Amino acid sequence: MTSNPNPQSVTDTTARFAYLISQISTSLINASPDEAAEHIEKALAVLGHDDDKDRCYVFLFSDDYAQMSNTHEWVRSGITAHKEDLQQVPADAMPWFFAHMQEAGRVLVDDVHTLPPEAGGFQTELLREKIQSMMAVGMFLEGRLIGFVGCDLVQRQRNWSDDDVRRMQLIADMIANTVARHRAEEKLQQVQVELRAANERLAQLANEDGLTGLSNRRGLDTAMDSELRRMQRNRQLLTVMMVDIDHFKELNDRHGHMIGDAALRGVAQELCHVLQRSGEVLGRFGGDEFLAICPQLTQQEAEQRAVTLMERVKNVNTATPLTVSIGIYTFIPEPTTTPDEVLRAVDKAVYQAKHDGRNRFFALAASSPTTKR
Ligand SMILES: Nc1nc2c(ncn2[C@@H]2O[C@H](COP(=O)(O)OP(=O)(O)OP(=O)(O)O)[C@@H](O)[C@H]2O)c(=O)[nH]1
C-alpha cells in the first residue's frame, strides 16, 4: 500500500482520475466497430500517461483459456513494445499467471524478484521484458473472464494500492463493455449477412424446379413477361420452344416413377447443353414439358438446335430409348402480345409435332410459312 496522501493531493488525484475516466469513456462510447482498436489504444494511452506507466495493454483469452493474445498495446516512448511476440501465449508457459487470473480476477506484482517459485515461467517473461512491477485486472463479460487490462513499470518499482486496483478495474470494465458491444454488433452483422444469403436462396428456390434444378413455371412466367417487353422495345426476334417427352406416361407406368424422374433429369441436362446460352431461360413448364425462352434466336437456328436436342435425347440413359416432340414459335413481339398468346402458339406447334408422328419438331413463325421435320 502507498502512504496516505495529504488532503490536497487526494483532491488532485481524484479530480485527475475523474477527468481521465471521462476522457476514456467518451472515446470508447463514440467508437464504431471499425474504430474500436484505435479507441481502445487511445484509452490505454490516457491510462499510461496518468502517473507515468511504461506499458499498458489488453489481452484476450481463448474460449477454453488454453492461450491468450495481446490485442492492444500502448508503450511510452523509448520502451520496447511486445504485442507482436505475445500472440497465442499458451497457458502451459505461465500456469501460475493463468490460474491466478482465473481464481482472483487480477494479478499484482509489486516487485518481480519477490514472485513465488511456482511463478517461474511468468517471472522469466517479466524479466525478459525488463519489468519491475506490473498489474493486470480481469475483464468480465456476463460474469465470465474474457481477458484483462494491465500495465507495466519498467523504469521504476511500485507497491500497488487498493486505489490503483480500483481505478484499473473501472477502466477494464469500460474496455470490456466496448468489446462486448462490438462483439454483439459483429454478430448482428454476421446474422444479417446470413439472412440476406438465406433470403436470396429462398427467392431462388421459389423460382426453381426441385427435380431438375431448372426454372419452374413461376420463373418462366417472370422471364416470359420481361423478354416479351424487352424484345418488343428492341424490335427483335424472340423464339420460344416447348419440348415434350413422347409416351412418358408409358415409361412411368411400365418402369415406375423413379425411372420417370431420372428420365426428366436426363432430358433437362441435355436441354441445358443445347439450349441454355447466355440470356436464354430454360424451365420445366410442368409434367414432362420443358420451355426455352431464347431472345434473338432465329427460326433456322432454333430448328438446328431442335435437331441436335433430338439426337442427344436418344442417349439419355433410361429403361427405353427416349424421344421428344418440339414446338418452335419465332416472332417479334407487338405491344399487345400476351404470354398466353405465345404459350397457345407454341403449344399448337407441339401438338402438331405429336400429331405428325412424334420425335420431330414443328416450327411456327408469326410472319413466315411453317416448317416441319
Ligand atoms: N416420374 C414422373 N412423372 C411425372 C411427373 N410429372 C408428371 N408426370 C407424369 O407424366 C405423364 C405425362 O403423360 P401425358 O401427358 O399423357 O404424356 P405422354 O404419355 O408423354 O404422351 P404424349 O405426350 O402424347 O407422347 C403422366 O403420367 C404424369 O403422371 C414427375 O415429376 N415425375
Side-chain angles (χ1 to χ4, degrees), residues 211 244-250 252-253 256-258 260-261 264 284 287-288 354 358:
L211 181 70
D244 188 311
I245 303 177
D246 296 329
H247 303 302
F248 187 61
K249 185 175 182 313
E250 215 175 293
N252 259 339
D253 291 347
H257 259 67
M258 299 278 273
D261 284 356
L264 288 169
R284 185 166 167 216
D288 62 346
K354 293 269 182 197
R358 296 182 172 80

Side-chain angles (χ1 to χ4, degrees), residues 237 299 303 328-332 349 362-371:
L237 274 180
Q299 182 183 328
E303 289 174 4
I328 301 170
Y329 180 48
T330 304
F331 62 108
I332 296 174
F362 186 91
L364 195 66
S367 55
S368 63
T370 57
T371 55

Side-chain angles (χ1 to χ4, degrees), residues 16-28 43 46 174:
R16 197 188 63 225
F17 185 67
Y19 177 68
L20 169 92
I21 286 292
S22 86
Q23 260 187 302
I24 292 178
S25 68
T26 308
S27 164
L28 290 176
V46 174
M174 284 197 288

Side-chain angles (χ1 to χ4, degrees), residues 272-291:
C272 286
H273 265 108
V274 178
L275 283 165
Q276 204 167 28
R277 307 285 144 86
S278 158
E280 296 177 349
V281 178
L282 189 56
R284 185 166 167 216
F285 190 69
D288 62 346
E289 288 175 325
F290 298 88
L291 197 76

